[in-house]
Amino acid sequence: MTDPQIVLTERVQQALARAFGPEHADADPLIRPSQFADFQANVAMSLAKRLRRAPREVAEAIKTELADFPGTVEVSGPGFLNITLANPWIEVEAGQMLADPRLGVGTAAPAQTVVIDYSAPNAAKEMHVGHLRTTIVGDALARLHEHLGNKVIRQNHLGDWGTPFGMLIEHLLDIGEQAAVAQLEAGQGTEFYQAARAKFDGDEAFKTRARVRVSTLQSGDPDTLRLWHVFMDATVRFFNKVYDLLGVTLTDADIAGESMYNPMLQKTCDDLEASGTAVLSEGALCVFPPGFTGSDDKPLPLIIRKSDGGYGYATTDMAAIRYRVHDLKADRMLYVVGNEQALHFQMVFAAARQAGWLPDTASPEHVRIGMMLGKDGRRFKTRSGESVKLMDLLQEAIDRAAKLIETRDYDAATQREIAHSVGMAAVKYADLSVSHDSEYVFDLDRMVAMTGNTGPYMQYATARIRSIFRKAGLAPADATASIVLDAPAERALGLHLLGFGELVTQVTLGSEPHRLCAFLFQTASLLSTFYEECPVIKEGVDPDTRDHRLALCALTLRVLETGLDLLGVPVPERM
């Protein structure tokens, strides 16, 4: 099956070539959904100037060349082409989509290697709400690329190295390994850090020990490295609890933290300096990528090595980009990181190009993540002004979902399972339904609502279809009848579903999961209208109509479930 807009684009371009010559065959037909027909083509308006003819005259010529089109074409207004597809064409395409295991979603040709850098919490502290969006969006992009057949390499760039680890290891020794591990595994990484910091600021002896420990860590002292592993292993075990709760696909094998790049940093600096890409400036080793200037109009430096000999984020990111290009053989590199890092990554990418480390075949892209806001429109924090712990926020979402379904007649285990699914769907869908570079307000009351563009509403749409099949005594896979679209609500739903395959491809290429959310919400809305206007299993519905409508229900269910799965949004069997 083929997306209707792709079919129309090809047909109109062929008509343009026949009517006005092959040199016009590549003109954009400007096809858009229309309230006056299925689609409207506005190409006559733009082409008329080039041809020096009246737009309506151009439109009439195009219409003449579309005489064999499977539907109707009408010229309206000054030169709009209103196009309505024939029902039999839609029905055949929908039937082919129902029989297609991939629902019309193509595969990448050729397949690419896509490195996706996402989540990346700081191991020195506990995961907080600032890590939620990077984790959710990055995981959705990983799922989408894998569905298209690309090789996805997840990179969880943990903050697991640097000066804070001197005081963290010393604090671990002070309280004992067992107590430290218990605290870290319980999700009290922030409290652990705060206690270590308080001692570092108030105890000169502790500060001295911490600084010495940083040196032994960086020099590879075996005992210090063992203690570092004790700390990191406990911290990662807690991170995994959060990932399991969220249902994201990151594993320990995907960890590629700052520590991994530590052995590469000296060579990174040496190679950049040797090639002349990096130069000494006021004692620091810097790259000055062209086109970047500060407020004083002077060239802006990307500091690769500090004047005291220390390394920073830029050093690690330069090492990482070279590793991902040369070792991982990346075709695309998606950095799912906050908006505030935009300038940093622009300069890193420019510096990598300047150094010759970025061939034309490798594309780095900053997938910018907007800030999460509270209801007051400010950065989402606790009342005391601290960052909200991510685990606390997720648990609150589950608790809200539990209240939403507490009147259902389910056993306790089923209640917990559904509450977890609904809570995570509420949080994840609310995030994904907003353009990733936009800010959005975190409002659990709205997120768990069963109406509007929410995760629970999407889940309810799938549950409603499954309920129809249970009452019919059938499984969705049993609905294999042809699809007939007699009623307007049937036709609107069937036509909409045909756009799923191409949309998934475009969403993946453009890193735009919010567009998939919008498509799924429209699917659920059209389903609701169909449900109200087109009885499926009620008394009086003839068997043929029942079977046709069950087939349309089965196709709708598969599209909703597949789309939500690609976003990482769970779908319970019942609600």
Side-chain angles (χ1 to χ4, degrees):
M1 52 79 54
T2 309
D3 180 89
Q5 285 192 243
I6 293 179
V7 172
L8 291 178
T9 296
E10 293 173 350
R11 291 296 187 95
V12 173
Q13 287 179 329
Q14 291 167 4
L16 290 172
R18 290 193 296 269
F20 309 113
E23 67 271 21
H24 298 296
D26 60 349
D28 185 351
L30 301 173
I31 293 171
R32 306 288 186 271
S34 171
Q35 59 179 325
F36 304 109
D38 292 335
F39 299 95
Q40 187 176 82
N42 298 337
V43 64
M45 310 295 287
S46 60
L47 192 59
K49 294 181 181 179
R50 191 192 311 176
L51 296 172
R52 296 183 180 180
R53 295 168 63 175
R56 190 173 179 90
E57 181 185 341
V58 173
E60 290 287 357
I62 298 171
K63 175 184 174 181
T64 299
E65 296 298 335
L66 288 172
D68 62 343
F69 180 76
T72 61
V73 182
E74 298 295 336
V75 178
S76 70
F80 301 119
L81 287 165
N82 289 335
I83 304 171
T84 301
L85 293 160
N87 270 24
W89 186 88
I90 302 173
E91 291 165 352
V92 169
E93 293 294 310
Q96 291 177 357
M97 184 176 179
L98 180 62
D100 180 4
R102 291 186 58 80
L103 295 170
V105 180
T107 54
Q112 292 186 315
T113 297
V114 183
V115 174
I116 307 181
D117 182 330
Y118 69 104
S119 191
N122 184 351
K125 301 179 182 179
E126 192 195 337
M127 289 181 77
H128 56 77
V129 294
H131 301 113
L132 180 62
R133 297 200 74 189
T134 60
T135 303
I136 291 174
V137 173
D139 205 60
L141 295 178
R143 291 167 180 264
L144 285 160
H145 275 283
E146 284 182 331
H147 192 64
L148 258 59
N150 289 323
K151 177 185 177 182
V152 173
I153 301 177
R154 295 162 174 81
Q155 296 279 272
N156 193 353
H157 194 97
L158 297 182
D160 63 354
W161 200 253
T163 54
F165 285 88
M167 69 180 189
L168 293 171
I169 291 172
E170 286 302 317
H171 180 57
L172 179 148
L173 288 170
D174 285 354
I175 67 174
E177 291 183 28
Q178 187 173 355
V181 167
Q183 188 176 3
L184 295 167
E185 288 184 344
Q188 296 174 1
T190 298
E191 290 85 349
F192 189 98
Y193 175 86
Q194 289 171 341
R197 185 76 212 188
K199 287 196 286 187
F200 185 87
D201 292 338
D203 185 335
E204 284 299 321
F206 181 87
K207 181 181 290 188
T208 300
R209 286 164 45 203
R211 287 175 170 168
V212 171
R213 186 63 68 177
V214 171
S215 298
T216 59
L217 176 64
Q218 293 177 341
S219 65
D221 172 66
D223 187 55
T224 302
L225 285 174
R226 185 191 69 79
L227 294 168
W228 177 80
H229 278 293
V230 169
F231 178 92
M232 281 305 306
D233 290 348
T235 301
V236 168
R237 283 194 290 273
F238 177 74
F239 287 168
N240 287 339
K241 292 178 184 178
V242 177
Y243 293 146
D244 289 344
L245 198 63
L246 271 172
V248 299
T249 54
L250 284 169
T251 68
D252 288 358
D254 304 316
I255 293 174
E258 293 173 353
S259 61
M260 171 183 152
Y261 298 103
N262 191 56
M264 309 178 194
L265 301 186
Q266 183 61 54
K267 181 172 174 52
T268 297
C269 293
D270 291 345
D271 289 351
L272 288 171
E273 189 171 16
S275 68
T277 305
V279 295
L280 288 173
S281 176
E282 299 181 15
L285 185 65
C286 305
V287 177
F288 291 90
F292 295 91
T293 56
S295 56
D296 56 1
D297 291 330
K298 292 182 179 179
L300 201 60
L302 183 71
I303 300 175
I304 304 299
R305 187 180 62 226
K306 301 174 186 177
S307 57
D308 64 1
Y311 304 119
Y313 292 125
T315 328
T316 304
D317 286 331
M318 287 295 287
I321 205 167
R322 183 158 67 163
Y323 168 77
R324 291 166 182 177
V325 170
H326 292 283
D327 293 75
L328 300 183
K329 309 299 182 186
D331 298 301
R332 290 182 71 182
M333 292 167 282
L334 306 181
Y335 289 76
V336 187
V337 185
N339 266 331
E340 65 275 10
Q341 297 296 320
L343 178 60
H344 169 77
F345 280 110
Q346 288 169 11
M347 294 184 71
V348 167
F349 299 160
R353 290 190 186 94
Q354 188 178 348
W357 295 358
L358 263 180
D360 293 339
T361 54
S363 170
E365 303 161 42
H366 181 194
V367 181
R368 302 184 183 189
I369 301 298
M371 190 182 302
M372 183 190 296
L373 307 176
K375 292 182 182 180
D376 59 0
R378 299 178 180 179
R379 184 187 288 269
F380 192 81
K381 291 183 178 292
T382 64
R383 290 181 180 178
S384 62
E386 297 177 353
S387 293
V388 178
K389 290 185 176 184
L390 184 50
M391 183 64 88
D392 292 346
L393 181 144
L394 297 179
Q395 189 57 56
E396 184 179 356
I398 294 172
D399 293 343
R400 295 283 189 95
K403 292 180 180 178
L404 186 70
I405 62 168
E406 62 186 357
T407 58
R408 308 292 199 276
D409 187 22
Y410 299 136
D411 60 67
T414 303
Q415 285 267 3
R416 287 193 299 271
E417 181 181 344
I418 296 176
H420 172 257
S421 292
V422 173
M424 293 305 96
V427 171
K428 297 177 79 171
Y429 187 87
D431 192 315
L432 293 165
S433 63
V434 177
S435 178
H436 58 70
D437 58 350
S438 300
E439 297 176 339
Y440 85 106
V441 175
F442 190 91
D443 181 357
L444 273 177
D445 291 331
R446 177 182 59 81
M447 291 177 177
V448 301
M450 295 292 291
T451 57
N453 191 14
T454 68
Y457 176 70
M458 303 306 303
Q459 291 176 314
Y460 177 68
T462 66
R464 174 181 270 183
I465 298 175
R466 289 194 173 278
S467 176
I468 291 173
F469 278 100
R470 281 195 298 272
K471 290 175 181 177
L474 296 170
D478 297 329
T480 56
S482 58
I483 292 176
V484 178
L485 307 171
D486 289 332
E490 293 174 308
R491 187 182 186 282
L493 178 57
L495 178 61
H496 172 73
L497 294 174
L498 295 183
F500 179 69
E502 179 63 17
L503 180 94
V504 169
T505 298
Q506 294 304 318
V507 162
T508 307
L509 293 176
S511 300
E512 298 174 309
H514 69 282
R515 290 183 56 201
L516 179 53
C517 290
F519 180 92
L520 296 176
F521 176 59
Q522 189 177 355
T523 303
S525 300
L526 291 169
L527 171 68
S528 181
T529 302
F530 163 79
Y531 185 85
E532 296 298 328
E533 298 181 6
C534 304
V536 180
I537 55 174
K538 287 184 179 179
E539 187 176 349
V541 177
D542 68 82
D544 285 345
T545 300
R546 168 185 176 273
D547 290 347
H548 297 323
R549 290 177 176 172
L550 281 172
L552 182 58
C553 285
L555 178 57
T556 306
L557 177 64
R558 285 182 56 206
V559 166
L560 287 171
E561 290 188 331
T562 300
L564 291 171
D565 183 63
L566 290 175
L567 294 169
V569 175
V571 180
E573 287 285 320
R574 299 170 183 256
M575 282 187 70

